[in-house]
Amino acid sequence: MDQTSIAYRRGAALPSSNPFQRLASLLAGREPALSPIAMTIGEPKHAMPSFLGEVLAENLADFSRYPAITGTPEFRQAIAGWLDKRYNLDGMIDPERGVLPLNGSREGLSFGAIAARDQLAKPMDHPVVILPNPFYQTYAAAAHVADAAAVFLDATPNGRFLPDLDSLNEDLLDRCVAFYIASPTNPEGSVANLKYWQRLIKLARKHRFYIFADECYSEIYRKTPPPGVLEAAKAMGEGFANIIVLNSLSKRSNLAGLRCGFAAGDPDFLSNWSRFRGLAAPQVPMPHQAIAVRAYGDETHVEENRRLYNEKFEAAERILGPILGPVTPEAGFFLWLNVSKWGDGVKVTEALWAEKGVKVLPGSYLALDQADGRNPGRNYIRVGLVAPYDETVIALERLADWLGGAA
Ligand SMILES: Cc1ncc(COP(=O)(O)O)c(C=O)c1O
């Protein structure tokens, strides 16, 4: 692939508004024929853990205190312990220097690239941040605030919706300071295997850049737990240098509004970042950290959460499968449906809303037009399975009805 077609000036990569604002403009003034059902936002709707109120009440007094930027020792220990168990890390995570609390993973994703650029101090005016396309829109903001050129790697079905590492040349890799990647991916729900991670880790170490591995959907999977970047690094036997994993309670524990997550991995990067964050970043409230300690120590509510999603994916397979073929992703809670037979994603979104009251997101709103006009999301719609089961089934049936009738 010609690299010049995927490199952008600073700022040029920033979407002019977020996908939901664009969707609101697209559908403004149109009355749906049926009662509306929203399948758009990635906001979990299943119950919050039952112990939430109890832990909050026990720790209420700590709202009066400024928390330490490094988090409480209990928080760091809980994260290190959970990662250790989840990824069989044999105690390799250093709870003192290898874990940082974040106000949700988004906060760390937004500002991590600045720290990467500063710590690497590569001798150039505008370093490069590499990100997938389609992408979680915060990654583009991260490139912008780090004063870096954003380079988008198309995620296509041929590459299992993972950025194509073969499309990167040496010059670009040398200029790279931060490589953003989600696994499981949003919107496609693909999972990077250990081999993919290890290849990326080798590139990061050879060309000196940091991997920001966004694993916030790691616990929302169908059958097999997705492998993580830390697990891949452990098998290589050289520690966690150049790797930062980000995760949170938002999807795992249905606590998106708590804004509680973490970064873990490279202890040198994280302890330097923590010093800067001590000047610049908002701390995580201590009662939130206490909730995290309890939540990361409990898998029962997470298993129930997965079961509820999987029930809805089974319904989706039953209802949409006969029309679209297999629709279930490896992980995450979105359907990423190729609707090119019915028009592009925007047209299908408009029709589904007008005729069926089902609100979905056009795939092109989650991706950027490349220099040659390609948009890897154009043929797709994203359908979130976050609503309760019965409502989800009604929406899926309406969707099938429209697809079946309009074909
Ligand atoms: C891919 C991806 N990364 C990160 C986030 C942010 O999650 P958090 O609530 O942890 O900030 C989201 C939220 O929707 C997401 O979809």
Side-chain angles (χ1 to χ4, degrees):
M1 189 189 292
D2 174 10
Q3 296 304 327
T4 56
S5 73
I6 55 171
Y8 284 79
R9 271 182 303 110
R10 175 187 182 242
L14 270 186
S16 54
S17 52
N18 84 31
F20 305 105
Q21 290 162 337
R22 288 175 75 187
L23 181 66
S25 309
L26 179 75
L27 304 181
R30 300 186 195 198
E31 278 305 309
L34 299 175
S35 58
I37 304 180
M39 313 284 279
T40 39
I41 305 192
E43 181 179 270
K45 300 277 181 227
H46 300 157
M48 296 183 289
S50 57
F51 48 76
L52 181 77
E54 178 193 317
V55 181
L56 198 56
E58 279 165 16
N59 292 275
L60 217 48
D62 280 338
F63 274 128
S64 68
R65 301 170 62 198
Y66 277 117
I69 196 72
T70 49
T72 63
E74 294 79 14
F75 176 88
R76 292 195 304 273
Q77 196 62 58
I79 300 302
W82 178 76
L83 286 167
D84 201 58
K85 223 158 78 190
R86 169 68 170 82
Y87 298 110
N88 298 312
L89 299 179
D90 294 338
M92 271 174 68
I93 288 276
D94 174 357
E96 291 306 311
R97 298 177 73 241
V99 177
L100 274 187
L102 298 173
N103 291 276
S105 60
R106 174 171 146 135
E107 184 251 310
L109 291 164
S110 299
F111 302 112
I114 303 179
R117 182 202 62 194
D118 290 355
Q119 290 194 35
L120 290 166
K122 290 190 173 181
M124 64 192 66
D125 288 341
H126 294 300
V128 158
V129 168
I130 299 176
L131 50 157
N133 193 27
F135 57 105
Y136 179 57
Q137 307 279 295
T138 295
Y139 308 159
H144 181 75
V145 293
D147 198 7
V151 171
F152 290 85
L153 297 186
D154 283 355
T156 63
N158 290 346
R160 291 184 47 255
F161 295 115
L162 295 165
D164 177 8
L165 302 181
D166 288 325
S167 69
L168 293 163
N169 66 34
E170 300 270 313
D171 174 54
L172 199 65
L173 288 162
D174 284 340
R175 292 173 57 206
C176 179
V177 292
F179 191 114
Y180 281 79
I181 175 169
S183 175
T185 64
N186 171 7
E188 308 92 343
S190 282
V191 167
N193 60 25
L194 290 176
K195 214 165 128 208
Y196 183 97
W197 279 129
Q198 286 169 353
R199 206 162 153 228
L200 184 57
I201 294 168
K202 278 190 199 140
L203 288 174
R205 290 179 178 163
K206 177 170 174 213
H207 296 276
R208 281 205 325 122
F209 61 81
Y210 290 105
I211 300 166
F212 287 85
D214 177 356
E215 296 187 354
C216 74
Y217 291 93
S218 66
E219 304 316 288
I220 315 297
Y221 55 82
R222 305 293 85 79
K223 284 201 187 85
T224 315
V229 66
L230 297 176
E231 194 175 356
K234 182 199 155 206
M236 293 165 79
E238 290 160 32
F240 297 137
N242 302 79
I243 299 164
I244 299 100
V245 62
L246 301 105
N247 210 327
S248 77
L249 294 176
S250 301
K251 321 288 181 190
R252 176 186 185 274
S253 299
N254 304 317
L255 288 171
L258 191 73
R259 312 307 306 130
C260 192
F262 66 85
D266 186 329
D268 292 335
F269 174 85
L270 289 170
S271 46
N272 284 326
W273 193 21
S274 178
R275 271 196 289 280
F276 177 72
R277 288 175 60 80
L279 298 168
Q283 308 93 319
V284 177
M286 281 193 284
H288 298 196
Q289 295 183 53
I291 290 167
V293 170
R294 180 80 176 266
Y296 277 109
D298 180 71
E299 292 298 331
T300 309
H301 74 283
V302 189
E303 283 156 18
E304 172 61 6
N305 201 19
R306 258 196 307 274
R307 189 188 68 74
L308 292 171
Y309 284 121
N310 287 345
E311 210 171 52
K312 289 185 269 187
F313 277 105
E314 277 163 28
E317 202 59 58
R318 195 172 62 242
I319 296 166
L320 297 176
I323 304 170
L324 291 169
V327 293
T328 309
E330 285 170 273
F333 50 54
F334 298 111
L335 298 169
W336 183 241
L337 305 178
N338 186 331
V339 290
S340 51
K341 212 170 128 192
W342 292 266
D344 69 17
V346 172
K347 293 259 169 321
V348 171
T349 298
E350 287 178 300
L352 281 172
W353 176 247
E355 295 170 36
K356 296 290 177 190
V358 176
K359 199 187 274 187
V360 300
L361 199 62
S364 57
Y365 287 12
L366 296 165
L368 203 84
D369 287 347
Q370 294 284 26
D372 61 4
R374 263 177 309 128
N375 181 313
R378 182 163 292 134
N379 291 334
Y380 292 83
I381 55 171
R382 191 186 80 172
V383 182
L385 301 190
V386 295
Y389 181 84
D390 291 348
E391 201 182 336
T392 300
V393 166
I394 294 171
L396 293 170
E397 281 169 349
R398 289 188 197 172
L399 186 53
D401 199 40
W402 187 86
L403 294 169

